[in-house]
Amino acid sequence: ALGKGSDLEKAFATLALVYNNSADPEGKLSKAEAKSLLHTQFWGFIQGQENKPKYREIISALDEESENKIDFEDFMILLVSLTLMSDLLQEIKNVKTTK
């Protein structure tokens, strides 16, 4: 559908596809599934963040009240939060590319 889409559009389409492939029929993920998805699909951004208080806060929220499920919007907020604190983001910012 996004064959001619921009790189950013394709990135978000991929994110939606990965989420939808893991979500239940109601379009939600259990917190355990969300945590597993982060560890399998977002490892580069969360690797090495274990000692950061904000990371521990985010991950511990996934461990609490595990019967609650999260929707796509909450998952996006989770990804953005983890990305913003990631050391990998700083490395990416330092890379200069030319086109």
Side-chain angles (χ1 to χ4, degrees):
L2 283 174
K4 294 184 181 181
S6 70
D7 289 345
L8 190 56
E9 289 171 325
K10 290 176 186 175
F12 272 87
T14 300
L15 173 62
L17 182 62
V18 169
Y19 178 90
N20 286 337
N21 284 339
S22 298
D24 66 16
E26 296 175 350
K28 295 187 177 188
L29 290 177
S30 72
K31 289 185 175 183
E33 290 166 328
K35 189 174 179 181
S36 176
L37 194 57
L38 290 173
H39 284 198
T40 60
Q41 296 288 324
F42 210 60
W43 182 246
F45 280 93
I46 63 174
Q47 184 178 9
Q49 307 307 301
E50 298 84 7
N51 293 325
K52 291 183 177 180
K54 186 65 178 172
Y55 174 85
R56 288 196 306 259
E57 177 185 325
I58 291 168
I59 296 301
S60 69
L62 292 176
D63 291 332
E64 296 171 4
E65 303 177 31
S66 60
E67 70 278 356
N68 291 341
K69 294 187 174 189
I70 63 173
D71 59 17
F72 183 69
E73 181 179 301
D74 291 334
F75 189 72
M76 288 295 294
I77 292 168
L78 180 68
L79 288 180
V80 169
S81 298
L82 292 170
T83 300
L84 290 173
M85 61 180 259
S86 173
D87 295 332
L88 180 57
L89 179 62
Q90 294 308 312
E91 291 177 32
I92 292 168
K93 286 181 176 181
N94 291 331
V95 173
K96 304 292 183 201
T97 61
T98 57
K99 288 192 173 197

